[in-house]
Amino acid sequence: MLDISDLNIEIKTRAQFLSPDVVYGVYLVFKFCDSRNFSSKPMYVNLNYRKGHESLHAYFATLRDEQWMTIELHRFSNQNQDVVFEFLLESFSSYYCGNAAVYVEGIEFRAIDKVKHEENGKLKEVQQVLKSDFNVGQVQQLPTKFEEIFKICRNYDELFWLGEVEGKKLLVLSAKAVLYKCSNVDIYTSKPAAQSRFQEAIELLPQQVFHLKCTIKSQMLSPVTEYVCYLVFKLSEKRQGLHCPVEVQDVLHKENNEAEFVYFITPSPLNINGITRVPKQREDGWMEIQLLKFNSTREFLDDSLSMNMKFTSLEGTMSGLIVCGLEFQPVILYHTKTGYDFTVTYCVIYKLVGLKSRLMLLLDSLMTEGDKMRTAGRLQSHFLSKRV
């Protein structure tokens, strides 16, 4: 097809010769007819297509081999039924894909990896945002004299908030402290911020690009601690767009030239991949998206850490995005719901209790059969070493 902005390709195919009770993805196989540098990471193409009367978007394509790419159009569980799929391919984004023609090879049915499917299960079933694991109510405010840190007198209560959780500092920077204006043009309006550390938040006016820029002093964070930086936000009822992914780039660290993408509205699981991040709902009514992760000791240069994050809307503007600010949360293992290391955890319990029988009873109640066998072997060698 010569014009990728007006494809008008009708596809009708049957799900035949597939394994029963397996989740399959329906992929379009295609390639662009020009010489371009391809990456192993997903490429933004924004394919517009229809399935029945439903208008859909597939944002990212993945390189398969020899410049052929695949993009997922649909996902289903095969129940040995004679299912017919009909798609109407309408257009690729000419702005991001160029004006080259496109070759369409056909449709590929591919089994979805079981683990990946389970990870996307909640999004597939209910299409709602995930819940944040962080307990906002556990944070206690710390009295801080920011004038002594910055050596400048100003109203810091409107810019910074410092708290403590489990002995680690938690830092919040208001939207006014981090939103960077590169011209005299107004890019936001102020509005009251309910259930926030600050009295005001900002709502972005129609624009495609905005920057969050700040410098953090080492005294504001706990030393030798892993931190995660989150953008805390809400969406106005009057928002326009924001369904498409937003590109995020670290301007100050050009070596990290691979951009990542965030969604302010939870997308279909078909549009989630290794370079996209989805929002999480917080207990205080706000939402959060992870921007970066760093160590408070390794990343500081000359006793400070600077960041400049550039957000670019790939389609439309970011009107209606309400920004509360940036929150730097310390990584505390037991605040997460998953990811425990059973061996380390249970060895600690063993030291505290000192009884092998009680430990094995705890293991038996919490672990799967495979985990029991593997962990029991490690604990047995641990007990034997104690007897020597």
Side-chain angles (χ1 to χ4, degrees):
M1 301 297 297
L2 297 178
D3 187 359
I4 65 172
S5 63
D6 184 22
L7 296 175
N8 198 30
I9 301 176
E10 293 184 3
I11 296 177
K12 183 176 182 179
T13 184
R14 268 189 169 82
Q16 295 177 313
F17 314 114
L18 302 179
S19 300
D21 300 321
V22 173
V23 176
Y24 281 91
V26 183
Y27 293 83
L28 175 71
V29 183
F30 69 98
K31 72 175 180 179
F32 295 111
C33 311
D34 63 358
S35 56
R36 62 178 68 196
N37 295 324
F38 289 93
S39 170
S40 59
K41 291 190 175 183
M43 172 185 173
Y44 183 80
V45 296
N46 190 14
L47 171 63
N48 293 274
Y49 66 103
R50 301 182 67 87
K51 181 178 179 291
H53 298 289
E54 189 177 9
S55 295
L56 301 168
H57 294 265
Y59 295 118
F60 295 95
T62 304
L63 184 66
R64 188 180 69 171
D65 54 65
E66 297 180 357
Q67 298 184 352
W68 286 100
M69 308 187 77
T70 62
I71 191 166
E72 189 174 1
L73 303 178
H74 184 61
R75 189 173 297 184
F76 71 101
S77 177
N78 184 39
Q79 302 298 326
N80 270 344
Q81 298 175 344
D82 188 13
V83 182
V84 177
F85 297 103
E86 294 187 41
F87 303 100
L88 174 62
L89 307 183
E90 295 180 327
S91 65
F92 285 103
S93 171
S94 57
Y95 182 83
Y96 294 98
C97 301
N99 297 316
V102 61
Y103 289 124
V104 176
E105 184 180 57
I107 293 293
E108 177 179 282
F109 292 87
R110 188 190 309 164
I112 301 293
D113 182 78
K114 181 179 179 181
V115 175
K116 179 181 177 183
H117 175 62
E118 290 175 351
E119 289 175 351
N120 288 334
K122 293 182 181 179
L123 292 175
K124 179 179 172 64
E125 293 170 4
V126 293
Q127 285 294 286
Q128 66 180 11
V129 298
L130 302 174
K131 301 294 184 182
S132 172
D133 295 319
F134 195 78
N135 189 343
V136 179
Q138 288 187 351
V139 183
Q140 301 295 321
Q141 186 172 8
L142 289 175
T144 306
K145 295 182 178 180
F146 289 105
E147 293 84 357
E148 297 180 359
I149 296 176
F150 291 97
K151 310 300 181 184
I152 300 175
C153 293
R154 57 187 301 190
N155 189 1
Y156 287 102
D157 291 340
E158 296 180 359
L159 303 176
F160 305 105
W161 190 94
L162 192 64
E164 184 181 57
V165 55
E166 303 295 342
K168 298 290 187 179
K169 292 180 181 178
L170 179 143
L171 176 66
V172 187
L173 278 63
S174 72
K176 288 187 176 181
V178 297
L179 190 68
Y180 176 67
K181 290 182 63 175
C182 56
S183 68
N184 293 325
V185 178
D186 291 333
I187 62 173
Y188 66 85
T189 59
S190 299
K191 63 183 309 173
Q195 294 182 298
S196 171
R197 313 289 186 191
F198 309 101
Q199 293 183 354
E200 288 186 334
I202 63 172
E203 181 174 341
L204 294 180
L205 297 175
Q207 60 196 298
Q208 279 193 296
V209 179
F210 74 93
H211 289 252
L212 295 181
K213 185 177 181 180
C214 65
T215 298
I216 305 169
K217 298 293 185 179
S218 60
Q219 303 97 305
M220 303 168 79
L221 300 178
S222 297
V224 198
T225 302
E226 294 291 327
Y227 275 89
V228 179
C229 174
Y230 290 95
L231 172 64
V232 182
F233 72 97
K234 283 182 179 179
L235 297 176
S236 168
E237 294 180 357
K238 300 178 181 179
R239 66 180 182 269
Q240 300 174 7
L242 293 174
H243 291 276
C244 296
V246 172
E247 183 183 67
V248 182
Q249 287 183 306
D250 187 353
V251 176
L252 296 181
H253 299 87
K254 296 294 186 179
E255 65 275 10
N256 301 330
N257 55 6
E258 292 287 354
E260 293 196 343
F261 300 85
V262 299
Y263 288 100
F264 291 112
I265 298 176
T266 304
S268 159
L270 276 62
N271 287 312
I272 298 175
N273 52 58
I275 62 172
T276 59
R277 303 188 183 210
V278 296
K280 291 186 178 182
Q281 182 71 56
R282 293 158 54 104
E283 294 177 348
D284 57 7
W286 292 85
M287 302 179 73
E288 64 183 26
I289 292 181
Q290 178 180 331
L291 298 182
L292 56 89
K293 189 173 183 180
F294 64 94
N295 184 281
S296 60
T297 298
R298 293 195 301 266
E299 299 297 332
F300 277 89
L301 181 64
D302 296 329
D303 205 33
S304 64
L305 172 65
S306 296
M307 58 180 290
N308 185 349
M309 308 299 291
K310 179 183 179 182
F311 295 76
T312 305
S313 175
L314 300 183
E315 308 286 343
T317 71
M318 287 179 275
S319 174
L321 177 64
I322 303 172
V323 179
C324 176
L326 294 178
E327 185 164 298
F328 296 83
Q329 298 177 8
V331 177
I332 301 174
L333 178 61
Y334 46 83
H335 275 183
T336 61
K337 297 178 182 178
T338 60
Y340 287 102
D341 185 334
F342 284 100
T343 306
V344 174
T345 305
Y346 295 140
C347 283
V348 172
I349 296 174
Y350 161 71
K351 291 179 181 179
L352 294 174
V353 178
L355 296 175
K356 177 180 177 181
S357 58
R358 293 184 64 178
L359 176 59
M360 297 309 294
L361 180 62
L362 179 62
L363 283 170
D364 185 72
S365 64
L366 294 177
M367 302 182 69
T368 64
E369 291 299 323
D371 290 334
K372 290 177 191 177
M373 295 178 65
R374 289 190 295 271
T375 305
R378 290 196 293 269
L379 290 172
Q380 183 64 32
S381 62
H382 179 75
F383 290 127
L384 288 174
S385 64
K386 288 290 183 180
R387 297 192 186 106
V388 177

